[in-house]
């Protein structure tokens, strides 16, 4: 017994008939922080309690009252937070007379086993790297939520979040840096969503958010937008600045499914669609996505048998010498004639083949078939065949080429293999060996789609290419005004000539394009201006007729591709809104019917519907219709539809009483007749291109229309101060955005904010501490300051009675005192960051934002005029800031670092600091002011003469 007790593996106990301790081992008494002597006489059930395990086992007092033996009862110290566990057994004791005299028993310590079990359980439920719940935990949680949704019709939303460009970080900085990045991403996600138990890491760079009882698509879309914006902000990893992005797919229960498998599948389809649309987007699931996925699956199944059923064929597009118009070769292009759906575009079935692993089989067939066909053609016409990266990396490619040439009898120099830049992303040594092997065979090599891949120009030094093919993306719109494509083409031609390579320009469709290509010295051309792709039979017929030369034929001039349509639109001219119908729409302009009394050269605002407004100039006006040229070109929305780059909120348009396209013509009462149309544009966040030059005298640049957009600019202005950024993000997500996110940040909107701030009080704001309330007041004041700086609202437009909240340097929170400024500057002297004390000083002296100080340039400062021209947070304009004499003296004393344009750069990189968080944390702890954020230094309370006498000398001394 003694050995058992001394080993601390367990202990013994004995109690009397009343349940009081008669004996207990000393080792357990020590665990309880007392002695065995003191425990004698205490009730056993007051010292220990039994664990409620849900098995129906009775509690300890009941077991002792029952006076029967028991085993396997888990005991814990009463009132303890489960720090110790024992499994106890007991036997009742009786006198010879049968009188009950108490219990005797023993207990075994199971604490370590319990902890190990709990740790293992946590490992099975939580991701070890990010400490987020893992896939298993997500499935358990989602099943529980959906069980309630199915029976009680409760909504639920699943959001799949996939990181964009994460692989690039792993490849360039290494996997340890990738792990650090994932931790930071997890932290940002939790801050944005607000609940750690609703954010899950599924694995790799994929996360999931589950929102129980949430089906408001507007609210969900806003949260997705916040996540994308938050995750796209720069990260600091080991001194390196990393920028990634995020794409999100969303499915809502019950509309998009009521089972976990269904919701996950549909969210995944939406995620795939958002990535296909260009990444950095969010998309809800729709039945169209499911239909598309099912069609894709069906096409994949059909494609597997297409070769056997002779549904795949090759066509050949001529490659023509630019000056002589003679055919020198052809490119083999694959076509699929589906038995039910007819011709399937290569842009549809080639990506399917790549994903399904069929592209190798199709590529081998195309290579053999092209050689077989070319061997029958008269003359020495070359045939070019595309080789995919997967084919190129396959070691059997040289054997396939040799076999195809031997079987067909085609000369090796008549075969040209077109290879894309993607082959250089893999093993470069293996690529070099493959190039050498192919050149030994004698085939020609062409670099396809040049300039559209991911590699550098370095591979051109060693890769033995005979030709560079200029991708049609450079040719497209090369002749349009303002295009830089011609300069890019000229550079490619010069590079190819220096390396002794031919050039081929793809996608030539217009005669003016052909003329430009000839002037730039491109050697060969491929495109519809000469010929569409021909079947083998048609090509042979032309060659046998001796038609080796082709005369170019096509439209004389290129215009932006136009879409014919009947789409309602609105035109604002003067103070009248007129409705019409768009007949033709391109990126650069539109033809609008039904518009009268708008003369040529007029400036108008065109309303394309759904918040898509743009300034435009009327280039021609005829009876009943006008032609307009947009100030800013439209963009493709990813589905082939043209749209404006940004949209105006419905709230903004309703505030100005703007009609919708198709409504009857109307005089706008919100616009005065004599008022310049640019004033209306400014209120909508639009500005004519001619005035948006960023100068101080220009009209204000486009500014955020809603508090949500303003909050994004505000968070970006906090770059460099991660502590302030995290606190501001929490305030935005928890308080401001849910209340004001979609409202316009104008006078009426700020009145609502003012009322909200005025009602903040710990008594009627449950869960808010006084410091939380002061923090919210501070955030509101700083957002107001930003709105004023961006000319979103005037300084004199503060809501009545709220001047104490929004007035600069007189917010309803305590500014930093003179003594606190002194403590901080003294603490900064010993910082390894030699620039930090000067950055802190300028924050105190100018009241500018941290990001503005970090990006301050000498060229923006005029010491003679005591002015500093600060770039607005959205980068589209500047504001003039008056510098105090103390700030001027300090700036005059700072050295200019050679050709470095920045006033206070990182001395190691000569670029602005990306983060000051670590050095600032040390300084504020030394100053015993741990609650301060770096951005708080903007609001200091000291007289300028005190600065010169007491604070400025601190900057010229060093710390210990």
């Amino acid at each position: 017994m003694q050995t058992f007790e001394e080993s601390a593996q367990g202990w013994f106990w004995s109690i009397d008939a009343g349940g009081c301790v008669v004996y207990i081992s000393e080792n357990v008494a020590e665990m309880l922080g007392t002695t065995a002597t003191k425990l004698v006489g205490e009730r056993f059930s007051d010292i220990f309690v039994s664990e409620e395990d849900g098995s129906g086992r009775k509690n300890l007092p009941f077991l002792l009252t029952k006076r029967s033996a028991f085993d396997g009862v888990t005991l814990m110290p009463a009132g303890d937070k489960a720090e110790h566990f024992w499994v106890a057994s007991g036997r009742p004791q009786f006198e010879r007379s049968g009188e009950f005299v108490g219990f005797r028993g023993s207990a075994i310590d199971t604490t370590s086993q319990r902890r190990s079990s709990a740790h293992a359980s946590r490992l099975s439920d939580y991701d070890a790297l990010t400490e987020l719940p893992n896939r298993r935990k997500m499935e358990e949680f989602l099943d529980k939520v959906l069980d309630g949704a199915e029976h009680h019709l409760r909504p639920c939303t699943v959001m799949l979040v996939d990181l964009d460009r994460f692989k690039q970080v792993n490849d360039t900085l290494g996997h340890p840096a990738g792990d650090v990045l994932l931790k930071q991403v997890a932290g940002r996600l939790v801050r944005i969503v607000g609940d750690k138990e609703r954010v899950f890491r599924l694995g790799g760079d994929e996360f999931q958010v589950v929102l129980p009882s949430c089906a408001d698509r507007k609210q969900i879309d806003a949260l997705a937008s916040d996540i994308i914006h938050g995750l796209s902000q720069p990260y600091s990893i080991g001194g390196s600045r990393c920028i990634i992005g995020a794409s999100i797919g969303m499915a809502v229960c019950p509309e998009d499914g009521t089972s976990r498998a269904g919701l996950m599948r549909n969210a995944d389809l939406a995620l795939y669609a958002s990535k296909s649309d260009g990444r950095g987007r969010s998309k809800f699931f729709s039945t169209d996505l499911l239909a598309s996925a099912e069609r894709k699956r069906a096409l994949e199944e059909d494609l597997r048998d297409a070769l056997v059923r002779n549904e795949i064929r090759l066509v050949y597009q001529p490659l023509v010498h630019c000056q002589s118009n003679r055919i020198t070769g052809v490119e083999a292009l694959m076509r699929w004639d589906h038995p039910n759906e007819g011709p399937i575009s290569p842009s549809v079935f080639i990506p399917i083949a790549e994903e399904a692993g069929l592209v190798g089989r199709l590529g081998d067939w195309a290579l053999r078939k092209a050689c077989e066909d070319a061997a029958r053609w008269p003359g020495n016409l070359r045939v070019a065949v595309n080789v995919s990266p997967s084919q190129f990396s396959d070691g059997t490619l040289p054997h396939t080429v040799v076999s195809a040439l031997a079987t067909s009898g085609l000369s090796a120099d008549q075969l040209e293999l077109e290879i894309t830049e993607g082959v250089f992303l893999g093993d470069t040594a293996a690529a070099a060996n493959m190039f050498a092997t192919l050149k030994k065979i004698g085939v020609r090599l062409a670099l396809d789609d040049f300039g559209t891949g991911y590699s550098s120009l370095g591979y051109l030094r060693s890769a033995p290419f005979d030709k560079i093919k200029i991708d049609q993306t450079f040719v497209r719109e090369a002749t349009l005004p303002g295009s830089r494509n011609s300069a890019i083409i000229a550079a490619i031609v010069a590079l190819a000539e220096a390396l002794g390579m031919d050039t081929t320009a793809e996608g030539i469709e217009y005669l003016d394009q052909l003329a430009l290509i000839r002037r730039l010295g491109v050697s060969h051309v491929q495109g519809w201006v000469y010929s569409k792709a021909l079947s083998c039979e048609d090509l042979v017929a032309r060659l046998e007729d001796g038609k080796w030369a082709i005369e170019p034929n096509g439209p004389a001039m290129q215009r932006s591709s136009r879409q014919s349509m009947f789409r309602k639109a609105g035109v604002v001219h003067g103070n009248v809104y007129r409705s019409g119908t768009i007949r033709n729409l391109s990126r650069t302009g539109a033809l609008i019917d039904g518009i009268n009394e708008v003369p040529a050269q007029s400036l108008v605002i065109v309303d394309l519907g759904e918040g898509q407004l743009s300034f435009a100039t009327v280039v021609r006006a005829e009876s009943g219709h006008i032609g307009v040229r947009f100030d800013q070109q439209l963009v493709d929305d990813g589905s082939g539809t043209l749209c404006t780059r940004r949209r105006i909120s419905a709230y903004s348009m309703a505030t100005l009483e703007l009609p919708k396209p198709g409504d009857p013509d109307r005089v706008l009462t919100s616009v005065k007749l004599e008022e310049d149309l640019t004033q209306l544009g400014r209120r909508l966040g639009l500005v004519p291109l001619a005035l948006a030059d960023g100068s101080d005298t220009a009209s204000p640049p486009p500014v955020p229309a809603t508090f949500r957009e303003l909050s994004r600019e505000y968070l970006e202005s906090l770059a460099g101060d991660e502590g302030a950024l995290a606190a501001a993000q929490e305030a935005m997500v928890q308080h401001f955005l849910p209340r004001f996110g979609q409202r316009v940040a104008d006078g009426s909107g700020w009145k609502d904010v003012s009322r909200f701030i005025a009602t903040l009080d710990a008594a009627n704001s449950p869960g808010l501490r006084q410091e939380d309330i002061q923090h919210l007041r501070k955030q509101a004041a700083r957002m107001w300051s930003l709105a004023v700086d961006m000319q979103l609202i005037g300084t004199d437009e503060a809501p009545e009675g709220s001047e104490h909240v929004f007035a600069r340097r007189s917010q309803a929170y305590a500014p930093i005192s003179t003594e606190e400024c002194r403590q901080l500057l003294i603490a900064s002297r010993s910082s390894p960051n030699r620039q930090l004390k000067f950055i802190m000083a300028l924050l105190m002296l100018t009241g500018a934002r941290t990001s503005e100080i970090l990006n301050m340039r000498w060229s923006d400062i005029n010491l003679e005029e005591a002015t500093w021209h600060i770039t607005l947070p959205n980068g589209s304009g500047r504001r003039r800031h008056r510098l105090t004499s103390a700030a001027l003296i300090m700036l005059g004393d700072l050295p200019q670092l050679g050709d470095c344009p920045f006033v206070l750069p990182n001395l190691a990189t000569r670029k602005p600091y990306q983060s000051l968080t670590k050095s600032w944390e040390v300084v504020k702890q030394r100053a015993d002011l741990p609650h301060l954020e770096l951005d708080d230094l903007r609001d200091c309370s000291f007289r300028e003469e005190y600065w010169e006498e007491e604070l400025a000398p601190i900057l010229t001394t060093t710390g210990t």
Side-chain angles (χ1 to χ4, degrees):
M1 290 176 57
Q2 185 177 358
T3 304
F4 180 67
E5 288 181 318
E6 290 176 351
S7 70
Q9 296 178 0
W11 44 277
F12 296 101
W13 57 279
S14 177
I15 61 174
D16 59 21
C20 296
V21 175
V22 176
Y23 173 84
I24 192 166
S25 299
E26 190 67 44
N27 64 348
V28 73
E30 291 178 1
M31 293 182 189
L32 298 176
T34 184
T35 64
T37 303
K38 291 182 179 180
L39 292 178
V40 172
E42 297 288 333
R43 291 185 63 83
F44 191 73
S45 58
D46 290 339
I47 303 172
F48 301 100
V49 295
S50 57
E51 182 182 40
E52 297 292 338
D53 60 3
S55 63
R57 193 186 302 275
K58 304 299 183 181
N59 59 28
L60 182 60
F62 177 84
L63 293 173
L64 298 179
T65 303
K66 192 176 179 183
R67 300 180 180 180
S68 60
F70 60 85
D71 293 291
V73 175
T74 300
L75 298 182
M76 300 178 295
D80 192 75
K81 295 181 179 178
E83 293 183 358
H84 297 284
F85 297 91
W86 303 274
V87 175
S89 60
R91 297 291 180 270
Q93 304 297 309
F94 298 92
E95 294 283 6
R96 289 183 179 180
S97 62
E99 180 184 358
F100 173 69
V101 294
F103 272 89
R104 288 181 185 176
S106 62
I108 298 175
D109 194 335
T110 59
T111 303
S112 60
Q113 295 95 314
R114 289 289 294 259
R115 288 175 179 170
S116 297
S117 177
H119 180 66
S121 176
R122 178 168 182 81
L123 286 178
S124 68
D125 287 341
Y126 288 84
D127 176 56
L129 177 64
T130 63
E131 298 184 355
L132 291 177
N134 59 18
R135 181 183 292 273
R136 179 179 176 277
K137 188 72 172 176
M138 177 277 296
E139 292 175 350
E140 178 183 302
F141 178 73
L142 187 54
D143 284 341
K144 184 177 179 180
V145 171
L146 293 177
D147 182 60
E150 184 175 354
H151 290 87
H152 304 288
L153 298 178
R154 293 173 184 166
C156 169
T157 296
V158 170
M159 306 174 74
L160 282 181
V161 182
D162 192 79
L163 304 183
D164 301 330
R165 300 184 298 278
F166 175 76
K167 185 178 182 299
Q168 182 180 344
V169 175
N170 265 345
D171 291 344
T172 56
L173 299 181
H175 288 278
D179 289 346
V180 174
L181 178 58
L182 288 173
K183 290 181 182 179
Q184 294 187 25
V185 167
R188 291 190 186 184
L189 267 176
V190 171
R191 286 197 298 269
I192 295 170
V193 175
D195 187 344
K196 184 176 181 179
E197 294 303 313
R198 296 184 183 182
V199 180
F200 306 84
R201 184 188 177 203
L202 302 185
D205 60 351
E206 192 171 28
F207 296 81
Q208 180 170 322
V209 177
V210 178
L211 304 175
S213 304
C214 180
D216 186 335
R217 293 183 180 247
K218 185 176 182 181
Q219 180 181 349
I220 297 166
D221 190 50
L223 176 61
S225 180
D226 289 338
I227 290 174
I228 292 173
H229 178 75
L231 298 188
S232 301
Q233 300 307 304
Y235 299 81
S236 178
I237 301 175
S240 298
R241 184 170 184 256
C242 301
I243 298 178
I244 59 172
S247 300
I248 300 178
M250 301 168 287
V252 181
C253 170
E255 298 96 318
D256 303 333
T258 56
S259 68
R260 169 164 52 87
L263 276 179
M264 291 290 292
R265 177 201 64 191
N266 293 341
D268 195 51
L269 287 173
L271 175 63
Y272 181 83
S274 67
K275 282 185 168 292
S276 299
D277 283 353
R279 302 178 184 269
R281 303 185 181 193
S282 62
K283 188 176 282 291
F284 284 99
F285 168 77
S286 67
T287 53
D288 291 343
L289 296 179
L290 182 59
S292 176
E294 291 175 347
R295 179 175 184 267
K296 179 180 174 182
R297 182 189 57 78
L299 287 177
E300 179 183 324
E301 291 299 318
D302 293 341
L303 187 57
R304 293 184 184 277
D305 301 322
L307 279 176
V308 178
R309 295 196 295 255
N310 294 320
E311 296 169 5
I312 305 294
R313 59 187 174 90
L314 291 182
V315 293
Y316 300 92
Q317 186 168 35
L319 300 171
V320 182
H321 190 273
C322 227
Q323 303 302 325
S324 66
N325 293 336
R326 293 184 65 83
I327 299 176
T328 60
V330 294
E331 179 182 1
L333 303 172
M334 196 176 296
R335 298 291 185 263
W336 180 17
D337 296 321
H338 193 278
N340 299 322
E341 299 195 24
I344 304 292
S345 170
S347 64
V348 173
F349 74 81
I350 293 298
I352 294 176
E354 290 175 343
E355 291 184 16
L358 301 174
V359 72
R361 184 151 59 96
L362 290 173
D364 288 352
W365 172 87
L367 180 61
R368 295 178 183 277
K369 178 63 174 173
C371 290
E372 177 187 327
D373 288 347
R376 303 198 309 266
W377 300 337
N380 297 316
L381 206 63
R382 288 196 182 103
V383 61
V385 182
N386 290 279
V387 174
S388 70
S390 60
Q391 278 181 281
F392 186 85
S393 60
D394 187 346
T396 63
L397 177 61
H399 177 269
T400 303
V401 172
V402 171
S403 174
L405 292 174
T407 303
S408 64
L410 186 70
S411 173
D413 65 352
Q414 287 183 260
L415 176 62
E416 187 171 87
L417 301 181
E418 295 190 358
I419 301 165
T420 65
E421 293 174 323
V423 302
F424 297 100
L425 295 178
D427 187 339
T428 53
N433 291 334
M434 179 62 74
F435 279 125
T437 303
L438 292 174
K439 288 306 291 183
K440 286 180 181 178
I441 297 173
V443 298
R444 285 171 55 89
L445 300 177
L447 180 56
D448 199 12
D449 301 335
F450 179 71
T452 62
Y454 308 96
S455 305
S456 69
L457 296 177
Y459 53 74
L460 290 178
R461 294 179 300 178
S462 55
F465 288 111
D466 301 288
K467 177 190 290 185
I468 291 178
K469 297 195 71 174
I470 303 170
D471 189 72
Q472 60 182 324
T473 55
F474 296 117
V475 175
R476 191 179 302 133
E477 300 183 359
T479 57
L480 293 180
S483 173
R484 299 179 180 179
N485 291 7
S486 60
I488 296 174
I489 296 172
I492 295 174
V493 171
L495 176 65
E497 289 179 347
L499 295 174
M501 301 177 186
D502 293 335
T503 49
T504 296
E506 299 179 288
I508 308 297
E509 300 180 11
Y510 301 90
L511 294 177
D512 63 337
Q513 285 181 341
L514 178 60
L516 174 65
I517 292 300
R518 285 172 169 169
R519 287 200 307 272
L520 295 177
V522 178
S523 59
H524 293 80
V525 165
Q526 178 181 352
W528 285 10
V529 74
Y530 280 111
S531 173
K532 294 184 179 182
L534 305 171
S535 67
C536 183
E537 294 75 15
D538 290 341
L539 178 63
V540 169
R542 285 200 179 192
L543 299 177
E544 288 178 346
D545 290 344
K547 295 181 179 178
W548 288 82
I550 306 177
E551 288 300 320
N553 183 34
M557 297 182 64
Q558 178 187 4
R559 299 190 303 178
S560 293
S561 57
R562 301 189 170 214
Q563 301 174 357
S564 298
M565 59 180 62
F566 288 91
R567 174 176 173 177
K568 294 178 180 178
V571 174
V572 181
H573 179 245
N575 65 340
V576 178
Y577 185 103
R578 296 173 170 85
S579 287
T581 303
I582 295 179
R583 298 292 298 274
N584 287 311
L585 181 67
S586 70
R587 292 177 183 269
T588 57
L591 177 65
I592 308 176
D593 282 352
I595 304 296
N596 293 293
E597 301 179 13
V598 178
Q601 306 308 313
S602 297
L603 181 68
V604 297
I605 293 178
V606 177
D607 182 2
L608 301 177
E610 298 181 347
Q612 300 181 78
L613 279 75
S614 175
F615 271 106
T617 301
V618 178
V619 293
R620 79 172 184 273
E622 300 175 2
S623 178
H625 62 262
I626 59 174
V628 299
R629 181 179 64 246
F630 298 125
D631 265 20
Q632 287 191 323
Q633 289 190 14
L634 303 183
V635 296
D636 193 317
D637 68 354
S639 62
T641 303
L642 296 175
C643 63
T644 56
R645 295 178 183 271
R646 64 184 295 264
R647 301 194 182 210
I648 310 302
S649 72
Y651 186 88
S652 296
M653 297 184 65
T655 301
L656 296 173
E657 300 179 357
L658 287 182
K660 296 179 180 178
D663 288 350
D665 294 358
R666 181 193 305 177
V667 175
L668 302 177
T669 57
S670 59
V671 181
K672 297 178 182 178
L673 180 60
E674 66 276 8
E675 185 178 27
D676 192 337
L677 192 62
T678 58
Q679 299 299 318
L680 173 62
R682 181 184 304 176
R683 290 155 69 183
L684 288 168
L686 300 172
V687 63
L689 190 61
L691 299 180
D693 59 4
S695 66
D696 290 332
T697 57
S699 298
V703 292
T706 66
F707 279 102
R708 179 173 300 281
E709 292 167 321
L710 177 63
S711 71
R712 291 177 182 169
E713 303 293 352
Y714 173 55
L715 293 177
E716 289 180 0
S717 75
L718 296 175
D721 187 358
E722 293 180 7
L725 178 60
Q729 276 186 324
E730 182 178 356
M732 296 300 106
V733 173
Q734 296 292 334
H735 299 283
F736 284 104
L737 294 183
R739 291 179 172 86
F740 313 111
Q742 301 301 323
R743 300 187 189 180
V744 177
D746 57 6
S748 60
W750 282 105
K751 287 181 181 178
D752 294 336
V753 175
S754 175
R755 282 193 291 267
F756 165 64
I757 295 296
T759 59
L760 284 177
D761 184 86
N764 56 23
S765 301
L768 283 181
R769 300 169 300 174
Q770 193 60 39
E771 50 264 41
D772 297 330
I773 294 172
Q774 295 289 44
H775 178 70
L776 290 175
R777 291 178 182 273
K778 177 172 67 176
Q779 300 296 342
R782 290 182 177 172
M783 284 188 68
W784 165 267
S785 173
L786 177 65
V788 170
D789 288 346
M790 297 179 70
Q791 303 178 37
L792 184 59
I793 197 165
T795 54
D796 58 345
E797 296 182 55
E800 185 177 351
S802 63
E803 293 82 0
H804 67 289
V805 175
F806 298 130
R808 188 76 187 101
R809 292 181 179 269
S810 62
Q811 292 93 335
Y813 59 91
I816 299 176
S817 68
T818 301
E819 177 57 25
E820 289 172 331
C821 291
R822 191 180 70 84
Q823 290 175 289
L824 288 165
L825 289 176
I826 291 174
S828 70
R829 294 184 305 179
S830 56
S831 173
N833 185 340
R834 289 184 290 162
Q835 300 283 56
L836 180 60
K837 61 184 179 182
F838 300 113
I839 293 171
M840 292 167 55
L842 281 179
L843 284 167
M844 296 175 181
L845 291 171
T846 64
R849 298 175 181 84
T850 304
S851 60
E852 294 170 344
I853 297 293
L854 296 182
N855 290 279
M856 176 187 278
R857 294 172 179 262
W858 289 111
S859 59
D860 295 333
I861 300 171
N862 189 322
L863 295 179
E864 293 183 359
E865 297 181 2
T867 56
W868 171 23
H869 296 272
I870 302 177
T871 301
L872 292 177
N874 60 357
S876 55
R878 298 195 300 173
R879 63 183 174 88
R880 183 182 286 109
H881 184 87
R882 177 66 59 180
L883 295 170
T884 64
S885 59
L888 289 171
I889 293 172
M890 178 183 163
L891 288 169
D893 291 339
L894 288 176
Q896 297 191 29
L897 305 177
D899 57 354
C900 178
F902 300 102
V903 176
L904 290 169
N906 183 321
L907 295 176
T909 65
R910 301 296 180 95
K911 295 180 180 180
Y913 285 96
Q914 298 303 314
S915 174
L916 294 170
T917 301
K918 290 183 180 179
S919 52
W920 168 245
E921 287 292 326
V922 173
V923 167
K924 70 179 185 180
Q925 293 295 336
R926 285 178 179 167
D928 197 23
L929 295 168
H931 63 285
L932 289 182
E933 299 165 1
L934 186 59
D935 208 51
D936 289 334
L937 301 188
R938 301 171 55 200
D939 303 298
C940 297
S941 175
F942 57 76
R943 300 187 309 277
E944 191 162 336
E945 56 269 23
Y946 181 84
W947 172 270
E948 297 172 358
E949 296 170 3
E950 300 291 337
L951 300 182
I954 297 175
L955 300 179
T956 60
T957 58
T958 58
T960 57

